[in-house]
Amino acid sequence: MSDWLISLEGTEAGHQLALVLALSAAFLHAVFGALQKGRHDPWLSRGAIDFAYCVMAAPFALFVVPWPEPHMWLIFLGAFVIHTAYKLLQAFAYTKGSYTVVYPVVRGTGPLFAVIGAFLIFDEVFTLIQWLGVLVLLAGIFGLALYNYLFLESNRDTLGVALALAGVTGLFVALYTTYDAYGIRATADPFTFLAWFFMIDGLVFPGIAALRWGAMAARPALPPLMLRGFVGGLVAFASFGSIMMATRLDKVGEAAILRETSTVFAALIGWVVLKETVGPRRLILMALIALGAVIVEMGG
């Protein structure tokens, strides 16, 4: 499969597959967020998920995929630092502000910085039409954040800190998107990067979660938590693996923009599964996000 995927790089078939992978990543990222937002403490959920995908990735990293080239170890170290910082920033942002306000700000700043990073690192240039699409998409995402702030936000005392943390977290989203694209292109076999990335990335948060669980007065039962971690690990493989593969097959900036339709999928999941009220204004904002992604894709 590795040879087949590599053969698609830079081709029209590779572009179409990257499109499918980026949209799949968007939907699965929304599912991933819903799993983290569930009845368990977010720190515990993240720890269980990271533990699950670390354990599942280890046999593939150690015994199945080709061993990483010597230059990859420094790249893995950089990925480990960037992703750990991102997850810590995101967790602290959620402790200071509501998910419905913080999440759109993170996902809105991320693609803007990613497009700029793709220009600086990979010499990718967006057309004027594509930049129009970026602006439309960002208007929808930040409009959704503003709507949620005006009508849904209850934790206003720490909102300024939450929004600042969300903005920095968005910067790290862009950083890991472009850095992972560099990393997966730096090795001969993309599955080598994916297997080792997931094994290394899952080393920190299980320890944080274990300490937090041990300090709780009312500790949640472990079997349901570990089941959530197992499901979340599978979703993480598919979501983050898809977007990383898309950035190897095609343009990093376009993949980053398409992934941010996850905000639309998250709202749809809330509407269909969680029976949340969407309303006409949120529908319009969601349509703007989708329209912006379409303009970026058609304008390339």
Side-chain angles (χ1 to χ4, degrees):
M1 178 173 283
S2 297
D3 293 337
W4 173 71
L5 286 169
I6 293 171
S7 71
L8 296 179
E9 294 177 16
T11 67
E12 180 59 26
H15 173 74
Q16 295 301 323
L17 180 57
L19 171 63
V20 173
L21 288 171
L23 291 176
S24 299
F27 171 71
L28 291 167
H29 195 278
V31 174
F32 187 81
L35 285 170
Q36 282 188 270
K37 192 190 173 185
R39 60 190 179 90
H40 292 105
D41 177 273
W43 294 84
L44 297 186
S45 297
R46 184 76 214 204
I49 290 170
D50 283 20
F51 175 78
Y53 67 59
C54 176
V55 170
M56 287 188 284
F60 292 94
L62 297 173
F63 304 112
V64 177
V65 300
W67 204 255
E69 301 92 334
H71 68 271
M72 290 301 299
W73 299 116
L74 188 59
I75 292 175
F76 285 133
L77 176 61
F80 172 78
V81 172
I82 291 170
H83 279 267
T84 300
Y86 153 71
K87 288 185 284 188
L88 288 171
L89 284 167
Q90 181 172 255
F92 283 122
Y94 286 151
T95 63
K96 298 296 183 180
S98 298
Y99 176 87
T100 52
V101 174
V102 170
Y103 183 81
V105 172
V106 172
R107 305 322 302 183
T109 53
L112 177 60
F113 291 139
V115 171
I116 296 171
F119 167 73
L120 295 174
I121 297 172
F122 302 109
D123 294 324
E124 293 182 8
V125 179
F126 267 28
T127 66
L128 289 177
I129 294 177
Q130 286 183 303
W131 274 112
L132 174 63
V134 172
L135 293 177
V136 171
L137 179 136
L138 293 180
I141 292 178
F142 286 120
L144 193 60
L146 178 61
Y147 175 87
N148 292 337
Y149 163 72
L150 292 174
F151 298 102
L152 304 177
E153 175 65 37
S154 57
N155 192 13
R156 296 181 184 273
D157 293 339
T158 58
L159 184 62
V161 176
L163 292 178
L165 287 169
V168 178
T169 305
L171 176 60
F172 271 82
V173 169
L175 185 58
Y176 81 62
T177 300
T178 51
Y179 188 89
D180 292 345
Y182 171 78
I184 202 170
R185 295 179 183 193
T187 183
D189 192 314
F191 290 104
T192 294
F193 180 83
L194 292 176
W196 279 88
F197 164 78
F198 280 111
M199 185 178 72
I200 294 171
D201 185 60
L203 294 175
V204 173
F205 261 71
I208 296 175
L211 292 174
R212 190 176 180 87
W213 183 83
M216 287 181 169
R219 299 171 185 168
L222 287 178
L225 180 62
M226 296 313 295
L227 177 61
R228 181 179 292 271
F230 174 73
V231 175
L234 294 177
V235 173
F237 280 135
S239 175
F240 292 100
S242 293
I243 193 62
M244 290 179 195
M245 194 65 73
T247 60
R248 172 150 181 166
L249 292 172
D250 203 38
K251 292 183 177 180
V252 176
E254 290 185 10
I257 290 293
L258 291 173
R259 181 186 52 188
E260 300 321 317
T261 56
S262 62
T263 310
V264 176
F265 289 119
L268 291 175
I269 290 172
W271 179 34
V272 176
V273 179
L274 303 178
K275 307 303 180 184
E276 296 176 352
T277 302
V278 174
R281 284 173 289 193
R282 293 181 74 190
L283 282 174
I284 292 172
L285 292 168
M286 288 159 56
L288 277 179
I289 297 169
L291 176 61
V294 171
I295 294 173
V296 170
E297 176 61 23
M298 299 301 292

